[in-house]
Amino acid sequence: RPGLALCAGCGGRIQDPFLLRVSPDLEWHVACLKCAECGQPLDETCTCFLRDGKAYCKRDYSRLFGIKCAQCRAAFSSSDLVMRARDHVYHLECFRCAACGRQLLPG
């Protein structure tokens, strides 16, 4: 479909021999697909995340939209062990008694 598609990044017609399709209805010029936050090019070597029609690198997507610890407000990495209490999620080291500060253990 080159020549018929409109770039979601710049709005121009894609005449290039290649285009990047990130979702069924969003296509970009190869040079236009960049993280909406930091501007990092998003190509076949970088994971791309979409939110509200904008593309983000993994780091910025996690920072902006990922679940954060209810105590320290830092994002979680994929290797973090967490504790859940109702609608809140905590790093293990952040899950502490509000009165005495002692770390709370599962169970």
Side-chain angles (χ1 to χ4, degrees):
R1 293 183 6 152
L4 300 176
L6 293 179
C7 178
C10 72
R13 195 164 296 286
I14 301 176
Q15 302 283 345
D16 306 353
F18 300 103
L19 57 81
L20 296 174
R21 181 174 294 140
V22 179
S23 70
D25 57 341
L26 294 174
E27 299 165 327
W28 276 266
H29 291 108
V30 173
C32 289
L33 185 57
K34 296 178 182 177
C35 176
E37 189 70 14
C38 71
Q40 174 185 348
L42 301 172
D43 56 20
E44 67 277 352
T45 65
C46 183
T47 304
C48 178
F49 295 85
L50 287 180
R51 177 91 174 225
D52 299 326
K54 295 181 181 178
Y56 297 91
C57 66
K58 183 177 182 177
R59 186 187 76 236
D60 285 328
Y61 187 87
S62 294
R63 182 177 57 79
L64 294 168
F65 307 112
I67 298 171
K68 295 176 178 56
C69 176
Q71 177 62 35
C72 72
R73 303 301 303 153
F76 296 101
S77 73
S78 59
S79 62
D80 285 339
L81 296 175
V82 299
M83 292 293 291
R84 295 180 184 274
R86 296 192 181 184
D87 294 335
H88 301 287
V89 183
Y90 300 85
H91 292 106
L92 284 182
E93 60 274 6
C94 294
F95 193 61
R96 298 180 173 276
C97 173
C100 71
R102 192 168 74 180
Q103 188 174 12
L104 300 173
L105 302 173

